Amino acid sequence: MSLNKPILLLISSFIFFGVFIHSSQLQAFSQEAVPRSQYLDYAREAADYTWENYDNLMQRWKESFDPESVFGYRPPGGLLEMAVIYAYLYQQEKNPEYAVRSKKILFSYSGYRSAFPEWAREKRPDYGDGIPMLPDFFTVMRFLRAYDILKTAGALNAEEIHNMQNDIAHSMAYVLQTQEWGPMNRAALRTESLAWAVRALPNHPDAKTWEMQRKALGDDNWGNWQIEDATIYHAVWLYALLGYADAMGKQDELLNTPEMYYYAQYFLHLMCPAGMVPDFGDANWMANWARFLVFFETTANHFKDPQLKWAATTIARKFIDFGEPRNIGLAYNLLDCFLWGGDNIPVQKPGSLSQEVMEDVQGKKIVFRNGWDPDSTYLLLNYRDEGDGGLNFRDYLRDTIPVEEEKMTHGHADENSIILLMSGSSILLHDGGYRDYMPSGPYGAYRQDYFHNRLCVRQEKIWMGQNQGEFRYSTRNAVPGQSILDFLHNAGSYRKVRTQKVDFLSLDDFDYSRTRLTDDSMGYAWDRVIVNVKDPELYVVFDILKSLKEEYFTLANLWHTRKILDQGEHWYDTVYDKIQNHALPTENNLLILFPATHFRFDGTEPEKRHYQDEFLIHQTTAQHFELGETVGFITVLIPHPKDEPPVKWLNKIRVIQTKPDRAGLGVEIDSENRKTVIGVKNDLRMDMARDWRRPRYTYEAGKIGFGEFETNGDFLFASLHGSKITYTIVNLTKAFFKEKPLFEAKSSYYGLAYDASPDKGGLGKLRYWKDEVNINR
């Protein structure tokens, strides 16, 4: 495998293995917990199956062996997992055949190096001291674990122990040749192997070095926040830490750290209706579920938590076919489910709905959901940036390996991106995938901003062509403009930005989030406001850019899909029928509607995304900005049954004109006997009119008219039905409807003015005001 060939999976046999139930058959997963004995039975039977097919496994390895692989020498896969399972069974049951099988694997493992030719060895500077018996740091600990179990059980004599120690020591030296440290998956894997080496060979002359490096790498990970933001590598890191703690006999101590409890709740509350943690960052759809299964079984047992047990049960019942126990990689994980999990823990589906996951410092994600069933509606917003933590570790990685396309590390330019939208078991929006080359694919695939459902900003002017969209430069024949992707594409290098949560509310009739991305270098701030309207079920997304300097910007509001089923003026009906090789349910479609069209053009382009052909849908504008000037997009996302015509919505959603113009964005939505009004303020600092006294804000400076409503609030959500108005306004002092007061804060006492003027009364802003009033229309 060379660097210029597609690399769809990184060490695929250990990260992505597993039985996958056809996604088109999503159903309510069984809520009956898997007995621990069933996990052990699977491990035993898979080991027996692999043993019976040993010769076939070896033949396939020989046929696929590639001495030019970028990963170097790789021994046969699946053997070490079998060795651990048989070693454990021998330890528990004393069946000598199990010891014979496990020992055969361990003692023959060194000989596979003969398949790696000398010319290939000479090409690799890391093989200067010889080809290591255990070259893959993902699996070193498995050899050591089997060896330690057999030695402890008395299945190895002194000569066998002596003969094996040299190869182990040589492999451990190789593990330490590459320096990777910090709270991240690759360091945790090395730490786990070092802990097993110290445990298995405590009297070896190199054991002191192993222990020193175990502590150096392990202390960075123990009780610390992981610097990665990628589903696959979260699971690798967590599983490696559990193995590391197990090797030291300190698993309970690890799980008692606040960070491990946090991560248990974090990943639980990210679980999506497809029965798994969604893929974000360097990740693929449904990948690495087996490691999450072990983590949830272990934490459910430790914390005696029925909801964590629900997560484990959901994953196990979805993915594992216990009637076909043949996957030896999965069997290794299920052995740990047996060892670290527990029975007699009830299964309880979580009841929480839309919420932050878990907060706005470390997790930086928001989930909108109406339930926890396979057909529930679910939207995941990721606004995680690199953050301030782990600086030394992030800098080291940047300086050591080619990671220019990554948000350090394994993260994407997905800040403020909608990662996943599901409704009725159908996937309606989805993330872009991991990569198809190393270190990244063309144009930074699939890590750069234009592979995600987000706003992309460039500090140049796009050539929009003539007579395209709303732009009318000439009366001559139309001249095509630039392709959006051609304009946006670059090498894919990651731009460092910072993100903040501005607000989040979850109320009975709507959920509301406002999150901000700031690019200090390019000179703009982008607020994404998501409003989950609960009846009728839809999402209104406001994307608001505020220029932090005088500059020309092009803004492209990007959405991605697999198929466009129908389209018209500023609307697109879409569906995901598959992700890579996973067929998906298609009961629901997604209508993507752009109601605000002035000085914007929209369109579609074909693209390659998540290893498949997809379509980009965009709405784009470009202009010269003054300092502090704002502009915004409105996108309405409407999940609907596939047999429901999308055109029924086209006359039900209208843009509200705001006063002053461009001070805010708003829409009206008609549904049955109700009209819903939603409005957002573009610039949350427009209220600030003075500094010599508090409050700094005034109503006159901050008021915006949204149709018949007027308020200085940041956000308005109102439903008009008959003679009643039900409304919620956020961060306000006053509100009016048809010039009649709905609400006005009462005056309070504000002193200590900076100009020494007399103390006065003033109106403080309420967090929000929610009410229902009768009106005469």
Side-chain angles (χ1 to χ4, degrees):
M1 185 184 298
S2 61
L3 282 174
N4 62 348
K5 294 181 180 179
I7 301 176
L8 301 182
L9 308 176
L10 175 62
I11 316 177
S12 59
S13 59
F14 299 109
I15 295 184
F16 298 97
F17 63 79
V19 180
F20 189 86
I21 292 178
H22 198 278
S23 295
S24 62
Q25 299 174 345
L26 288 174
Q27 54 186 343
F29 311 117
S30 169
Q31 296 298 296
E32 182 180 351
V34 177
R36 290 173 59 242
S37 60
Q38 195 167 9
Y39 288 136
L40 182 61
D41 290 345
Y42 187 107
R44 183 196 306 271
E45 292 173 35
D48 290 343
Y49 175 84
T50 306
W51 181 262
E52 291 164 5
N53 289 273
Y54 195 103
D55 292 340
N56 291 335
L57 187 152
M58 298 307 300
Q59 184 61 34
R60 289 196 301 271
W61 172 71
K62 292 175 183 178
E63 292 172 355
S64 63
F65 188 79
D66 180 8
E68 294 190 281
S69 168
V70 67
F71 301 115
Y73 163 66
R74 284 295 181 265
L79 298 183
L80 297 183
E81 293 76 17
M82 181 168 52
V84 172
I85 293 168
Y86 279 140
Y88 173 78
L89 292 174
Y90 172 74
Q91 182 188 53
Q92 298 300 310
E93 301 173 9
K94 303 304 180 185
N95 182 340
E97 178 61 22
Y98 291 146
V100 168
R101 295 178 180 183
S102 185
K103 288 171 66 174
K104 176 183 177 180
I105 294 168
L106 298 188
F107 283 101
S108 62
Y109 213 72
S110 178
Y112 298 126
R113 290 177 288 184
S114 62
F116 200 71
E118 179 63 18
W119 60 263
R121 187 198 68 78
E122 292 175 351
K123 286 185 176 182
R124 297 191 62 95
D126 53 333
Y127 291 172
D129 293 332
I131 303 168
M133 176 181 68
L134 304 171
D136 183 0
F137 61 89
F138 272 82
T139 59
V140 170
M141 71 293 292
R142 299 177 186 186
F143 186 101
L144 295 168
R145 187 177 178 184
Y147 169 82
D148 182 71
I149 294 172
L150 291 173
K151 188 181 77 166
T152 303
L156 300 176
N157 59 42
E159 182 181 0
E160 290 171 327
I161 292 172
H162 175 77
N163 291 339
M164 198 169 290
Q165 285 190 356
N166 287 337
D167 279 333
I168 291 176
H170 180 247
S171 294
M172 294 311 300
Y174 179 74
V175 168
L176 294 175
Q177 257 179 251
T178 301
Q179 298 301 320
E180 293 183 303
W181 38 268
M184 53 101 171
N185 81 95
R186 296 166 71 91
L189 289 163
R190 286 176 163 80
T191 301
E192 181 184 6
S193 294
L194 287 163
W196 278 108
V198 171
R199 171 171 165 166
L201 286 76
N203 299 316
H204 191 276
D206 293 339
K208 187 175 181 180
T209 298
W210 302 336
E211 171 61 17
M212 179 259 292
Q213 287 298 298
R214 177 210 63 78
K215 180 172 175 55
L217 274 60
D219 287 357
D220 287 340
N221 285 271
W222 190 286
N224 211 338
W225 300 115
Q226 186 183 7
I227 63 173
E228 293 160 312
D229 188 48
T231 306
I232 283 177
Y233 295 106
H234 284 311
V236 173
W237 183 71
L238 291 167
Y239 189 35
L241 280 180
L242 290 174
Y244 170 54
D246 182 55
M248 298 190 298
K250 295 182 177 181
Q251 203 173 79
D252 284 342
E253 185 179 329
L254 170 71
L255 293 170
N256 283 333
T257 61
E259 291 79 10
M260 285 298 104
Y261 181 76
Y262 171 95
Y263 281 120
Q265 296 300 317
Y266 174 72
F267 290 111
L268 167 66
H269 287 91
L270 285 177
M271 286 280 288
C272 75
M276 174 55 181
V277 179
D279 49 319
F280 53 85
D282 279 354
N284 292 322
W285 178 243
M286 297 287 106
N288 224 359
W289 55 266
R291 284 182 170 91
F292 276 113
L293 170 61
V294 180
F295 178 68
F296 281 130
E297 285 286 10
T298 306
T299 53
N301 183 40
H302 179 81
F303 296 113
K304 308 304 178 190
D305 188 317
Q307 294 185 358
L308 294 173
K309 191 68 172 180
W310 171 88
T313 300
T314 297
I315 292 174
R317 294 301 185 190
K318 173 184 173 64
F319 288 104
I320 303 174
D321 184 353
F322 286 100
E324 290 287 335
R326 296 185 176 184
N327 188 317
I328 192 62
L330 174 60
Y332 178 84
N333 296 129
L334 298 190
L335 175 63
D336 287 335
C337 287
F338 168 77
L339 293 172
W340 304 340
D343 291 321
N344 303 318
I345 302 169
V347 176
Q348 180 182 330
K349 180 169 60 179
S352 59
L353 299 177
S354 300
Q355 65 183 119
E356 296 182 67
V357 184
M358 299 287 293
E359 32 52 60
D360 62 347
V361 176
Q362 181 63 30
K364 287 195 167 184
K365 292 173 180 63
I366 297 175
V367 166
F368 300 84
R369 69 163 84 234
N370 66 3
W372 290 78
D373 297 319
D375 60 353
S376 295
T377 299
Y378 172 103
L379 184 149
L380 172 60
L381 170 74
N382 186 12
Y383 66 103
R384 178 76 151 82
D385 56 0
E386 280 194 4
D388 297 324
L391 177 63
N392 190 34
F393 312 124
R394 297 181 197 273
D395 284 348
Y396 174 73
L397 287 170
R398 283 191 189 94
D399 296 338
T400 307
I401 58 178
V403 287
E404 283 76 17
E405 295 87 3
E406 298 179 34
K407 177 172 63 183
M408 200 57 50
T409 176
H410 284 299
H412 288 195
D414 57 0
E415 299 92 346
N416 256 356
S417 172
I418 293 178
I419 300 297
L420 179 66
L421 173 59
M422 293 188 67
S423 179
S425 299
S426 299
I427 293 171
L428 305 178
L429 292 173
H430 181 250
D431 206 31
Y434 187 168
R435 66 183 179 197
D436 57 359
Y437 290 80
M438 290 208 310
S440 288
Y443 310 111
Y446 301 107
R447 291 163 167 154
Q448 183 55 289
D449 54 2
Y450 35 72
F451 291 105
H452 296 89
N453 296 301
R454 55 162 290 176
L455 186 72
C456 290
V457 182
R458 295 294 183 266
Q459 211 171 31
E460 303 89 16
K461 180 179 180 180
I462 188 173
W463 166 242
M464 299 171 180
Q466 295 173 338
N467 290 352
Q468 183 167 350
E470 295 288 333
F471 294 91
R472 305 299 182 198
Y473 293 127
S474 171
T475 58
R476 295 175 295 170
N477 293 333
V479 177
Q482 278 182 277
S483 155
I484 294 299
L485 287 175
D486 284 348
F487 173 78
L488 294 174
H489 277 163
N490 52 41
S493 298
Y494 176 74
R495 290 185 58 83
K496 188 172 183 179
V497 298
R498 53 189 176 90
T499 61
Q500 298 169 288
K501 182 196 75 175
V502 177
D503 206 352
F504 174 75
L505 287 174
S506 182
L507 300 177
D508 54 353
D509 47 352
F510 71 92
D511 304 316
Y512 154 69
S513 71
R514 185 165 185 154
T515 49
R516 177 172 299 158
L517 177 155
T518 301
D519 189 323
D520 294 300
S521 176
M522 195 178 290
Y524 72 88
W526 159 42
D527 285 11
R528 167 156 278 186
V529 179
I530 299 178
V531 185
N532 175 18
V533 182
K534 298 184 179 181
D535 185 15
E537 182 184 76
L538 56 82
Y539 298 87
V540 182
V541 182
F542 301 95
D543 289 299
I544 304 163
L545 182 135
K546 179 179 180 179
S547 180
L548 304 182
K549 64 181 179 180
E550 186 179 341
E551 184 57 86
Y552 206 107
F553 289 117
T554 295
L555 289 65
N557 180 24
L558 305 186
W559 304 92
H560 305 268
T561 190
R562 251 288 297 165
K563 287 186 174 181
I564 299 174
L565 303 173
D566 197 4
Q567 66 185 86
E569 288 290 322
H570 316 301
W571 63 269
Y572 305 85
D573 202 35
T574 67
V575 67
Y576 264 94
D577 60 333
K578 72 182 187 76
I579 297 176
Q580 204 171 349
N581 59 340
H582 303 310
L584 302 173
T586 56
E587 295 305 308
N588 279 12
N589 297 341
L590 177 67
L591 173 60
I592 300 175
L593 173 65
F594 301 127
T597 60
H598 177 64
F599 209 69
R600 292 155 174 75
F601 73 94
D602 57 83
T604 68
E605 293 183 17
E607 62 176 345
K608 183 71 72 173
R609 189 171 175 269
H610 209 294
Y611 321 105
Q612 65 184 7
D613 293 329
E614 295 196 4
F615 285 95
L616 167 71
I617 299 170
H618 72 90
Q619 189 180 44
T620 302
T621 191
Q623 69 170 72
H624 181 274
F625 284 80
E626 299 295 331
L627 174 65
E629 188 174 358
T630 64
V631 71
F633 295 91
I634 304 174
T635 308
V636 183
L637 305 173
I638 306 175
H640 66 92
K642 64 182 180 181
D643 55 359
E644 177 185 277
V647 294
K648 64 171 275 190
W649 286 98
L650 302 185
N651 295 323
K652 294 184 177 183
I653 300 173
R654 297 174 298 279
V655 174
I656 299 173
Q657 291 302 118
T658 61
K659 298 180 181 179
D661 188 35
R662 296 179 65 176
L665 298 171
V667 293
E668 291 181 347
I669 304 168
D670 291 334
S671 58
E672 297 182 357
N673 299 320
R674 181 190 309 120
K675 179 174 74 173
T676 300
V677 177
I678 304 172
V680 297
K681 179 178 289 184
N682 283 2
D683 185 355
L684 300 185
R685 306 302 293 171
M686 68 178 287
D687 306 46
M688 305 306 147
R690 60 194 179 197
D691 192 51
W692 64 91
R693 58 164 300 192
R694 297 295 187 270
R696 296 179 61 193
Y697 43 82
T698 66
Y699 181 78
E700 291 300 319
K703 68 179 181 180
I704 301 177
F706 296 100
E708 298 172 308
F709 291 87
E710 180 187 282
T711 182
N712 66 336
D714 295 348
F715 173 75
L716 161 71
F717 187 94
S719 294
L720 292 78
H721 39 102
S723 61
K724 290 185 178 180
I725 298 179
T726 302
Y727 69 92
T728 301
I729 305 176
V730 175
N731 197 17
L732 78 158
T733 62
K734 299 180 185 180
F736 297 86
F737 179 76
K738 290 187 174 181
E739 300 183 349
K740 295 180 180 180
L742 289 174
F743 170 81
E744 182 172 353
K746 293 186 177 181
S747 179
S748 187
Y749 189 69
Y750 292 89
L752 303 177
Y754 290 162
D755 64 353
S757 60
D759 297 341
K760 295 181 180 181
L763 301 180
K765 288 191 173 186
L766 277 78
R767 176 68 177 94
Y768 66 81
W769 188 261
K770 182 178 176 66
D771 200 1
E772 181 175 274
V773 296
N774 289 312
I775 58 170
N776 294 317
R777 304 198 64 186

